[in-house]
Amino acid sequence: MKKAIALILALVLVLSLGACAPKQQQDNPQQTGDQAKPVAVKIWHDGDENIMNTIAEQVNAKLADEKITVEFEKKTDMASQLRLYGNDPVNAPDMYFYAHDVLGSFVTMDLLAPLTDLVDASLWKDHLPMTVQAGQIGGTQYLLPVYFETLILLYNKNLWKGEIPGTTEELYAYMKENTDAAAGTYALVNQHTNAYNVSPFVNGFGGFIINADGKPGFNDPKTIAAAEYNRKFGALQADGDYNTVTTLFNEGKAAGIIGGPWLVSGIEAAGISYGVASLSDIKLPNGNGLAPFSGVQGVGVLKTALKDKKDAVAKVLTAMAAPEVGVALAKKSGCAPANNLSYNDAEVSANPIISAIQKTAATAQPMPNIPEMGSMWGPAEAMFTAINKNGVDPAKAGADAQAAAEQAIADMH
């Protein structure tokens, strides 16, 4: 009798263990090693295919043993596509790769998952603080920064005389001495009516275009002071149109230009021997370095991905945050990595463009990422155009821009 009972108990134990095995496999569909099922993580983007291919190569190599692959899919006007389909579990991607400035609208639409729902915040502890800040809304991290760009000073080594000045007053004196507008030659050119290009002065003075609470700052005394200070530089910088200033520099009629890495290909095609300087090294009268806006490119997670691919997406985030990804992007596409550890690579740190951008991150500020920012460009340009081209009093121009900005925000709601 005892033997029969023992046999029955053994049989029950075997059956119960057998029944557990399929359930365990079902509860953990993203197993690792040889038992792992292949998982494809779809990422929408609207950027440079070469950059996305580099990221995919790095991430897929890191996750090969996990049988997880990322698949980048380019979408024209990706931001609009995401607004349309971001909550659709059938048509939405798992992740998206884009600039940080649209983040606010995506969060407002409840499309994105906080990254801390998938990974620990220590994942971005080595990233440049400015880039981390760019990916936050209300202190919550929604975007993992991968690379960034900002304004720098590029100069023609054959035309620039001496060192780059260390203060804006010294720079202005250099411009006065070396600009001959009648002859069509300039010391330094800049898009002095464009809010992005005037941002080094506005932010450096402590002014703002719009704050995190959605309040425009065109009539703020510090914004007005910055606009007035920028006016004397604008008077020595041609008309400030993008095509005008880039043509002047590329044709050797301007010794320097304030712009971004996007200008480099044209400069090199023109055969110009150029140097680079960080704007943060040029101090304003208040002692602050020039503080341009910065655009941060990174990856966010759609809430629809959490149901079936949460583990896989978490591993993609971890792989994409690795410094090796930034190194590869820097070497292949000239991108400035968001991960500070990427600059430990000798080749990356020796790149003058990347080095200048990294240095400028000390003073650069992320472009505001709230939805209202999109309505600020028009009032800002109208303000700086009125001051620099039409001679309007800065306080009057600031008040007019403030009224226009507040109306634009009211129209949004």
Side-chain angles (χ1 to χ4, degrees), residues 40-62:
V41 175
K42 182 187 293 185
I43 306 177
W44 280 4
H45 76 97
D46 190 17
D48 187 310
E49 296 278 15
N50 292 326
I51 289 175
M52 302 308 147
N53 289 338
T54 298
I55 296 173
E57 290 170 2
Q58 290 290 314
V59 172
N60 289 340
K62 290 178 181 296

Side-chain angles (χ1 to χ4, degrees), residues 5 57 87 114 131 157 204 230 244 311 350:
I5 293 173
E57 290 170 2
N87 277 321
T131 67
K157 290 183 177 180
N230 172 67
T244 299
D311 292 344

Side-chain angles (χ1 to χ4, degrees), residues 58-72:
Q58 290 290 314
V59 172
N60 289 340
K62 290 178 181 296
L63 299 179
D65 291 344
E66 307 275 359
K67 296 184 180 178
I68 298 171
T69 57
V70 296
E71 299 175 353
F72 282 93

